[in-house]
Amino acid sequence: MTKFTSLSALLLVFTTMVFGQVNQRLQFTDEELRNNLHWIELMQQENPNFFEVKRAYDLYFENHEKVKGSGWKQFERWAWLIEGDVQPDGSLRKPDAVFNAYHVITNRNNS
């Protein structure tokens, strides 16, 4: 029984550690942002903040040329695609928000 309890406690601690790190925001210094492609990492997070990604992108391209293969076109496409979903705090509207709002309105009109 103690083996089971110990194993369960270990599994709980491990699971908490793994899932506790999933939602951590990436933090970089301005110098790191100027010299590395961290804007790509920020852009690919589960819940990216548009303003953080844009700032990292701008800092990186202050010192680097926008040449083929540097990723600048991908960023520009991404920024254009999500511009209507950027909230005032920089977060992106969840994909199901419009769908849920539509159902609220149609249910209200049908009642």
Side-chain angles (χ1 to χ4, degrees):
M1 186 67 169
T2 58
K3 280 186 177 182
F4 178 74
T5 305
S6 299
L7 185 60
S8 296
L10 183 62
L11 183 62
L12 178 66
V13 169
F14 178 73
T15 305
T16 303
M17 287 172 40
V18 168
F19 287 108
Q21 295 177 3
V22 170
N23 292 326
Q24 287 183 341
R25 306 276 322 153
L26 297 174
Q27 299 290 325
F28 302 106
T29 65
D30 285 357
E31 193 61 31
E32 289 175 314
L33 295 174
R34 282 186 183 93
N35 296 317
N36 300 297
L37 293 169
H38 291 306
W39 61 270
I40 295 173
E41 295 172 54
L42 293 169
M43 187 171 70
Q44 294 176 344
Q45 290 185 97
E46 185 175 339
N47 297 311
N49 182 294
F50 177 75
F51 300 131
E52 291 174 9
V53 177
K54 176 81 168 107
R55 181 174 173 277
Y57 171 83
D58 290 339
L59 284 172
Y60 178 79
F61 282 107
E62 281 179 359
N63 299 331
H64 297 86
E65 237 181 283
K66 292 181 180 179
V67 295
K68 186 174 183 173
S70 64
W72 71 273
K73 278 188 183 179
Q74 287 79 0
F75 173 82
E76 295 295 335
R77 288 183 187 127
W78 176 77
W80 177 81
L81 181 69
I82 65 159
E83 73 180 341
D85 294 327
V86 177
Q87 303 299 308
D89 65 352
S91 64
L92 303 182
R93 183 175 45 215
K94 302 290 183 223
D96 61 346
V98 173
F99 181 76
N100 292 338
Y102 170 78
H103 280 290
V104 168
I105 291 169
T106 56
N107 288 338
R108 189 180 318 142
N109 290 339
N110 289 335
S111 3

